[in-house]
Amino acid sequence: FVLRRFVCKGLPLFSLGRWLREKAPNENMKIPGGLLLAGTLGFALSVILEDWLLTGSWVEGKGDLYFSTILCVVCLFQYLLQQPQRFSGTILPQYGRAYSLFIYIIHPAVILALMLVLGKVHAEGALTYGMPLLVFCISLALSIFWNHMHRRVKTAKATM
């Protein structure tokens, strides 16, 4: 589990994100925003197609990291790096800084818990395409709760 998830998926994607971040200020890397958004949408749709093709064939590909996923993430990440002002006045940067690490850490446990619950009620396929959003929302809620409790404990210790 650790080898496959972290070493074969997490570490390469983290490294790719870091590389893109370092290259983002480079004018040679500028790609029109509309093209990046079209790429994000197109590759997101092709992820669904890849999933459908692989799970419908003899290949066991359910839940794997598909090639289109990497291209989709690269397009989205590059778009966001080129458009930092797009979300500057929103809560997204604040939430990203405050909660992203815990969301990243807790999301596999949330996936496992949801699969166990859905398996008990025989509804494993009920959230096939809504599962990522549900996992994110639950992970975000748990992260907010964790940070809130952590601050309360720190405040209580400081007043003692």
Side-chain angles (χ1 to χ4, degrees), residues 109-123:
V110 171
I111 292 169
L112 183 62
L114 281 172
M115 294 308 286
L116 289 172
V117 168
L118 292 173
K120 293 284 184 196
V121 295
H122 305 292

Side-chain angles (χ1 to χ4, degrees), residues 4-44:
R4 183 164 186 228
R5 297 282 184 212
F6 176 70
V7 174
C8 296
K9 293 180 182 179
L11 194 59
L13 287 174
F14 178 81
S15 299
L16 176 64
R18 187 174 174 133
W19 180 81
L20 285 171
R21 177 73 176 125
E22 289 172 3
K23 301 295 181 190
N26 185 349
E27 286 298 317
N28 295 332
M29 289 284 288
K30 294 287 184 190
I31 300 168
L35 184 61
L36 290 170
L37 288 176
T40 300
L41 180 62
F43 289 125

Side-chain angles (χ1 to χ4, degrees), residues 127 129-139:
L127 294 171
Y129 296 107
M131 188 71 128
L133 183 60
L134 183 60
V135 168
F136 172 74
C137 291
I138 292 171
S139 299

Side-chain angles (χ1 to χ4, degrees), residues 20-153:
L20 285 171
R21 177 73 176 125
E22 289 172 3
K23 301 295 181 190
N26 185 349
E27 286 298 317
N28 295 332
M29 289 284 288
K30 294 287 184 190
I31 300 168
L35 184 61
L36 290 170
L37 288 176
T40 300
L41 180 62
F43 289 125
L45 292 173
S46 67
V47 167
I48 295 169
L49 179 64
E50 273 183 287
D51 181 63
W52 179 74
L53 288 172
L54 289 174
T55 56
S57 67
W58 58 271
V59 178
E60 278 297 317
K62 191 69 178 162
D64 278 344
L65 181 66
Y66 303 122
F67 183 69
S68 295
T69 304
I70 297 168
L71 298 175
C72 177
V73 169
V74 167
C75 287
L76 180 61
F77 195 60
Q78 189 65 28
Y79 174 77
L80 294 173
L81 287 173
Q82 288 181 193
Q83 312 272 338
Q85 75 285 358
R86 179 74 68 181
F87 299 103
S88 62
T90 68
I91 62 168
L92 292 177
Q94 294 169 305
Y95 273 42
R97 280 187 291 280
Y99 306 122
S100 60
L101 177 62
F102 193 76
I103 290 170
Y104 177 73
I105 291 169
I106 197 72
H107 86 274
V110 171
I111 292 169
L112 183 62
L114 281 172
M115 294 308 286
L116 289 172
V117 168
L118 292 173
K120 293 284 184 196
V121 295
H122 305 292
E124 297 92 343
L127 294 171
T128 301
Y129 296 107
M131 188 71 128
L133 183 60
L134 183 60
V135 168
F136 172 74
C137 291
I138 292 171
S139 299
L140 177 61
L142 289 171
S143 182
I144 291 169
F145 176 74
W146 175 265
N147 279 6
H148 176 72
M149 295 307 291
H150 185 59
R151 277 194 305 269
R152 286 187 69 177
V153 168

